[in-house]
Amino acid sequence: MTSKTIAVLPGDGIGPEVLDAALPVLDALGLPLTLEHGDIGWEFWRAEGDPVPQRTWDLIGRSDAVLLGATTSMPGREALACLEPGLRESAGPYVSPIIQLRQRLDLFANLRPVENHLGGTPYRFCVVRENTEGLYAGLDWDRVPDELWPLVADHPNARRSGPDGTTASVRMLTSHGLDRILRYAFDHARAHGHTRVTLADKPNVLRRSSAYTRERLEEIAAGYPEIEYEILNVDAVALWMVRRPERFGVIVAENMFGDILSDLGAGVMGGLGLAPSANIGAGGNYFEPVHGSAPAIAGTGRANPLAAFLTIALMLEHLGFADEAGELRTSVAHVTRRRDRLTYDLGGTATTGECAAAVLDACRAVPRAHTAAVVTVGDELLRAALDDTNAGEASRRLAARGVPVRIRHTVADDEAAIADAVRASIGRDDVVVVLGGLGPTSDDVTRAGVARALGRPLEHREEAWRGVVERLTRFGVAVHEDNRRQALFPEGAHLLPNTGGTAWGCRLDVQDTTVVMLPGPPRECLPMLDTVLGDGLGHLPRPDAVTTVFRRTLGIIEADAAAAVDALVREQGLTVRPAYRWHYPYVDVRVDCPPDAAEELAKRLDSALAEYVVTDRDRTAVQELAALLDARGLELDVEDTVTAGRFTADLAAARESETAATASAPGARLAVTLEGTWDGGGGPELYTGTVRLRCTVRTGAGAGTDAGSGEHTRELTIPNRGPEVAAYASQFTAWTIARTLTEETA
């Protein structure tokens, strides 16, 4: 593979920091590129009187591509005032580095891709802006020149104002400029699979120049018969870019219209922090994130590096590294759609470096967690007229397949609500399962909602229709015209036959997300889902083997448990995320980790949480005590002034449920005392303040305990928050007795 040279011009403001964060991706991708850094920007204007020194032009001349961070520009008067005093007489007028690059290298095409990186309705288009003429051609006067006055003098406002009170700018369009930008737009469409080129102009107002532009468009388009073309008013293009961005492929426009539309495109996809650009011409190129130098946030670590990554992807594609460019764009999409390491402008809290590290991790194929979403549809579910059992069953099946559910939605039979729920997970979750609303009646709108979310039309599928007719006929049911609704599916869907009913399902793959649409009856949809999960998710790897380390704790709050466990996981170098569940009075800790790390993690957890661990099984302290008492043939004499008999009743119920075969003959007895001290003005029936629980277990010789004879006491102070304190005290008592019997004291 031939090595390429990249001229890296960091510039000023946030330019250097976003490039520093993004450039390591070239090493991660293993590309044969040589980077040479050069000087450009405001500091070189101030110190040398030239923002693009000759040495930089020399570097550009021997490079295959130019990667620009960002540059700061100011009006001429302010720029002159910032010069070193000795340079103010000799320096020429300040000209923006961007203008210098475009003019000297004849960079006529500005390319601004617009793509849905944040998930939702998929779209992918680009704005191609002409750089050298149009209203930005420089034909702009602060008063109308004498030579131009006869052309404008007939305008009533010009007659009233006179030449000295009238300014003018000329929109210059040439066959040379139009032909090459239009040809570039069609070539780009052909190379990137776009089927439509839209010329954004103003033909209803700029009638003559737009008519000439149309002539050039028609002539150039004749050489690309497979690509549809159109000319639309620029204001209509702006509207539909926002409302239906998926309708566009390549939008081409003269300089000013392209300038406006390209920034609108950045807004459509989430902001300038996601906007890359390329400037291409016969004499060279440069690639630049669109966000500019943003001096207000320079050095704060808040700059978004994603536009720099996407700009590098554009550059790589230009240099012939299309596969690596696609891999980089995919990595950015994973980061934006997971939303866990985004900068402030995209609603996150990550620093520039943290966000960049997420992209690098994705490029290095660092394993990431796969997620799913479940959408159940039906007014009866929202009214609780039916239990939403499908959501739970689907979640269990997905988790078993290694794709745990991140979010569940229950929505009404409403097309817009269904579309919103599905759209929110496109590109973000690996699997979206939509259940219900596929019947033949007019209130079944799931098909339309899913199609709307995907930006695809519904189409009749004859195979499904034959299946509907065959099943209805087999059971002697009349076939109504309304049944044809059950043969409608989003365009391009892979059909899923329903062996238990008439409504077939389907699956579609879009933006790395598999959308599965299934009927509502559990006996129909769940077997269909099993088939999809067993055979139809080949794009997802089988989950790695894991071992679950589980500990149930008592007497520690969730935040304290999480702080201790999170620290242990980090110390052990694991990338797993522990799960915590608070269910009064317990905090459960669950860590799914690689099997070879489980034993060490369990030891560390038991050491760190020794005072609080009740069991490593999904059992209560009362259940554990019941099994222990039965196994050792022990009985209790209980003096309880706190739970009003709750502990004795809980233990009796637990002992009844234990297997009788494991019980020993009754033997020794233990004396147990449970006392409470109320502080803060509360009491057994006045719930405020705290209660200090004190459990004493008295053992004697022959009691069959590991702790030997004697008196063993534990205390615990808890909020006196309500009647449920009795349940807490019951579990605390059981825990104390069990620890005494097994000598598991702290």
Side-chain angles (χ1 to χ4, degrees):
M1 193 179 295
T2 305
S3 178
K4 305 284 187 179
T5 299
I6 311 299
V8 179
L9 310 180
D12 37 54
I14 64 172
E17 54 196 276
V18 295
L19 287 194
D20 284 347
L23 281 173
V25 77
L26 298 177
D27 289 332
L29 294 172
L31 294 172
L33 299 174
T34 300
L35 306 184
E36 293 191 33
H37 285 67
D39 301 329
I40 197 170
W42 191 248
E43 291 305 314
F44 300 98
W45 163 256
R46 292 176 59 189
E48 303 179 28
D50 190 348
V52 191
Q54 182 57 45
R55 60 184 177 276
T56 300
W57 290 114
D58 295 339
L59 170 60
I60 292 172
R62 64 176 183 267
S63 300
D64 297 289
V66 176
L67 180 61
L68 177 63
T71 60
T72 300
S73 290
M74 288 189 182
R77 183 185 304 172
E78 287 84 345
L80 187 63
C82 289
L83 272 178
E84 292 293 330
L87 296 173
R88 292 178 185 174
E89 296 296 327
S90 59
Y94 175 80
V95 179
S96 162
I98 300 301
I99 299 299
Q100 290 194 50
L101 288 170
R102 289 180 180 175
Q103 291 180 345
R104 186 158 170 173
L105 301 176
D106 193 20
L107 307 180
F108 65 89
N110 177 238
L111 179 65
R112 293 280 292 272
V114 182
E115 187 170 352
N116 187 358
H117 296 292
L118 296 174
T121 301
Y123 58 83
R124 179 181 66 91
F125 68 95
C126 68
V127 178
V128 174
R129 167 189 170 190
E130 204 287 324
N131 263 345
T132 65
E133 52 183 38
L135 200 61
Y136 291 179
L139 303 177
D140 182 53
W141 297 274
D142 58 357
R143 61 177 300 279
V144 176
D146 294 340
E147 298 84 358
L148 188 59
W149 178 249
L151 299 177
V152 302
D154 287 341
H155 193 285
N157 289 356
R159 288 200 305 270
R160 293 186 181 97
S161 303
D164 291 337
T166 304
T167 69
S169 297
V170 172
R171 184 174 91 136
M172 184 186 76
L173 303 175
T174 68
S175 61
H176 172 71
L178 286 170
D179 287 1
R180 67 178 180 176
I181 197 64
L182 291 171
R183 191 170 287 111
Y184 181 88
F186 278 95
D187 284 340
H188 187 84
R190 175 178 283 173
H192 292 82
H194 296 297
T195 59
R196 176 185 293 160
V197 170
T198 301
L199 174 63
D201 206 27
K202 195 65 176 172
N204 62 334
V205 176
L206 304 173
R207 295 179 182 274
R208 295 188 178 181
S209 61
S210 292
Y212 180 70
T213 302
R214 179 188 291 274
E215 292 178 13
R216 304 314 310 152
L217 172 65
E218 291 171 346
E219 182 169 332
I220 297 299
Y224 304 83
E226 78 280 14
I227 298 176
E228 176 188 352
Y229 69 92
E230 62 186 354
I231 180 167
L232 298 179
N233 284 322
V234 64
D235 46 341
V237 173
L239 171 66
W240 289 110
M241 278 176 61
V242 174
R243 294 293 302 276
R244 286 190 56 203
E246 68 276 8
R247 81 170 298 280
F248 294 109
V250 173
I251 301 172
V252 59
E254 62 95 34
N255 213 330
M256 185 182 76
F257 292 158
D259 186 13
I260 296 169
L261 292 178
S262 58
D263 273 4
L264 176 60
V268 167
M269 64 178 172
L272 293 177
L274 290 171
S277 76
N279 287 269
I280 309 296
N285 60 71
Y286 78 84
F287 299 83
E288 177 194 21
V290 175
H291 49 58
S293 62
I297 63 169
T300 65
R302 302 175 71 203
N304 187 344
L306 297 180
F309 281 108
L310 293 170
T311 297
I312 290 173
L314 268 184
M315 181 185 71
L316 294 179
E317 184 177 319
H318 178 78
L319 293 174
F321 303 111
D323 291 344
E324 291 81 2
E327 182 180 344
L328 178 49
R329 278 190 285 265
T330 298
S331 298
V332 170
H334 283 320
V335 172
T336 55
R337 292 166 190 168
R338 300 295 165 179
R339 289 176 168 83
D340 57 347
R341 285 190 279 179
L342 296 180
T343 48
Y344 79 99
D345 56 309
L346 296 178
T349 59
T351 64
T352 304
E354 291 168 343
C355 183
V359 178
L360 293 171
D361 287 346
C363 282
R364 294 173 181 136
V366 172
R368 64 178 181 84
H370 298 288
T371 61
V374 174
V375 181
T376 49
V377 180
D379 293 336
E380 65 279 6
L381 300 178
L382 288 176
R383 294 195 305 267
L386 291 177
D387 291 333
D388 190 1
T389 59
N390 278 346
E393 289 298 328
S395 296
R396 278 189 282 275
R397 285 163 163 79
L398 286 160
R401 177 59 177 81
V403 193
V405 171
R406 180 187 62 85
I407 190 168
R408 292 193 337 202
H409 301 278
T410 303
V411 298
D413 292 298
D414 177 83
E415 181 181 328
I418 296 167
D420 288 344
V422 174
R423 188 182 294 122
S425 288
I426 298 297
R428 183 173 186 184
D429 295 301
D430 297 281
V431 182
V432 181
V433 178
V434 187
L435 300 157
L438 298 185
T441 58
S442 59
D443 64 331
D444 292 308
V445 294
T446 296
R447 303 170 189 276
V450 172
R452 181 169 168 179
L454 302 179
R456 300 187 185 187
L458 287 171
E459 61 181 6
H460 175 84
R461 299 291 291 272
E462 186 63 23
E463 179 186 0
W465 174 237
R466 289 197 300 268
V468 171
V469 172
E470 188 277 332
R471 183 172 181 84
L472 293 177
T473 303
R474 177 157 36 110
F475 290 102
V477 179
V479 180
H480 294 283
E481 188 64 22
D482 283 351
N483 289 120
R484 287 188 174 273
R485 288 193 177 97
Q486 295 186 98
L488 294 176
F489 296 90
E491 184 180 67
H494 172 76
L495 298 186
L496 302 172
N498 182 356
T499 59
T502 57
W504 286 25
C506 70
R507 62 163 283 179
L508 305 98
D509 295 308
V510 57
Q511 291 190 5
D512 298 323
T513 296
T514 295
V515 179
V516 182
M517 184 174 73
L518 300 174
R523 63 182 295 271
E524 299 177 27
C525 68
L526 296 178
M528 296 169 73
L529 179 59
D530 288 338
T531 299
V532 172
L533 296 179
D535 303 328
L537 294 180
H539 68 292
L540 291 181
R542 287 286 173 182
D544 295 331
V546 298
T547 296
T548 299
V549 178
F550 175 82
R551 295 294 184 269
R552 176 158 288 166
T553 65
L554 187 69
I556 186 173
I557 64 173
E558 189 175 6
D560 289 345
V565 176
D566 288 348
L568 289 178
V569 168
R570 286 194 301 271
E571 290 171 8
Q572 201 166 335
L574 300 176
T575 58
V576 300
R577 186 171 68 177
Y580 305 96
R581 178 186 174 218
W582 160 247
H583 56 114
Y584 193 85
Y586 295 111
V587 173
D588 288 348
V589 177
R590 185 184 304 273
V591 186
D592 294 331
C593 63
D596 59 356
E599 183 177 355
E600 178 63 22
L601 179 62
K603 290 179 180 178
R604 294 187 179 206
L605 283 180
D606 287 335
S607 176
L609 302 176
E611 281 289 330
Y612 312 105
V613 173
V614 173
T615 177
D616 60 2
R617 300 184 292 176
D618 189 12
R619 290 163 61 88
T620 67
V622 171
Q623 289 173 321
E624 293 284 9
L625 176 62
L628 191 60
L629 293 176
D630 286 348
R632 300 193 180 189
L634 298 176
E635 298 296 334
L636 302 180
D637 294 323
V638 180
E639 182 182 348
D640 177 3
T641 63
V642 177
T643 73
R646 171 71 180 264
F647 168 67
T648 301
D650 287 348
L651 182 61
R655 296 187 80 166
E656 284 182 11
S657 67
E658 291 297 321
T659 304
T662 64
S664 300
R669 305 184 71 85
L670 304 178
V672 178
T673 302
L674 177 62
E675 303 168 292
T677 302
W678 283 263
D679 298 318
E685 297 181 357
L686 179 60
Y687 300 111
T688 186
T690 61
V691 55
R692 185 166 67 255
L693 303 174
R694 179 183 176 90
C695 181
T696 301
V697 182
R698 297 175 183 85
T699 61
T705 71
D706 297 326
S709 60
E711 186 174 285
H712 309 272
T713 300
R714 289 184 63 83
E715 291 187 355
L716 179 66
T717 299
I718 61 174
N720 187 29
R721 70 180 203 172
E724 65 270 24
V725 166
Y728 202 135
S730 175
Q731 298 296 327
F732 166 71
T733 303
W735 180 39
T736 300
I737 300 169
R739 288 172 71 96
T740 299
L741 292 175
T742 57
E743 203 175 16
E744 292 176 355
T745 54

